[in-house]
Amino acid sequence: IVFYASKEGFTVYDGQGEDEICHYLEMSKTSLGMSYSSDAGIVLTENGLGWGKSNCYKILQESYHPTESSCAAYRCSLYATATTKQGDWFLPSKDELNLMYQTQRARVLATSSEDWWLLSSSYTHYEPDDYYYCKNFYSGESDATGSMCSVRAIRAF
């Protein structure tokens, strides 16, 4: 499900020194389940468009023994479809998650049977806690959490 298109393109950072110009962001059709943000604690990540892939790489590099429930980035990295492979998908950054909310809120709510809080890969300083940014697709509220949240993978191409 394409939720963002840019005729000019935008830079996607992979966290390994390679940048790619992409024109689209798509999201998985359904939630991948519930996960914690990371089993590595806080990993400093970015918020902007094009940073989700790099954030996931950083989180995975710092993870101790990731499982699908202990690390949302790991869960997304395992996702694949008939036309994509594992590693193509990643946990969205804060800004990528907000774009998904702006354009696909109703679809996400219609296809989520779990928590309406979706997790991003962006670390945020959010008084009183420092955790990963998440968004409630039902209320529009934003918060920071260390709790399990719903995970929706995205891909840039």
Side-chain angles (χ1 to χ4, degrees):
I1 300 167
V2 173
F3 68 91
Y4 179 75
S6 169
K7 187 176 182 179
E8 307 81 40
F10 57 95
T11 304
V12 174
Y13 306 94
D14 73 356
Q16 301 172 63
E18 299 293 323
D19 304 338
E20 179 182 6
I21 301 298
C22 294
H23 296 273
Y24 303 96
L25 286 174
E26 73 175 317
M27 67 181 191
S28 56
K29 291 182 181 180
T30 61
S31 169
L32 303 186
M34 303 285 284
S35 291
Y36 289 102
S37 53
S38 169
D39 69 344
I42 298 302
V43 177
L44 297 179
T45 57
E46 303 292 334
N47 292 327
L49 174 64
W51 285 99
K53 191 169 191 174
S54 175
N55 290 348
C56 279
Y57 178 77
K58 287 179 184 178
I59 291 167
L60 291 172
Q61 290 300 303
E62 296 291 324
S63 291
Y64 304 114
H65 301 288
T67 65
E68 290 187 52
S69 64
S70 72
C71 182
Y74 181 69
R75 183 181 289 266
C76 290
S77 74
L78 295 178
Y79 183 68
T81 67
T83 58
T84 64
K85 65 186 184 314
Q86 289 183 347
D88 287 348
W89 297 81
F90 51 91
L91 189 63
S93 70
K94 175 183 176 180
D95 291 353
E96 292 161 347
L97 184 63
N98 282 327
L99 283 171
M100 187 190 310
Y101 174 80
Q102 291 167 14
T103 62
Q104 299 297 318
R105 179 178 177 261
R107 183 172 284 171
V108 168
L109 291 175
T111 58
S112 293
S113 60
E114 298 163 339
D115 191 4
W116 291 323
W117 286 97
L118 271 72
L119 191 59
S120 83
S121 61
S122 296
Y123 165 83
T124 187
H125 179 70
Y126 217 59
E127 294 294 339
D129 299 310
D130 293 336
Y131 289 114
Y132 288 85
Y133 175 86
C134 58
K135 182 98 176 162
N136 185 312
F137 272 58
Y138 184 75
S139 69
E141 179 183 1
S142 299
D143 204 349
T145 189
S147 302
M148 278 191 143
C149 288
S150 188
V151 176
R152 184 88 54 149
I154 69 168
R155 180 176 82 102
F157 62 101

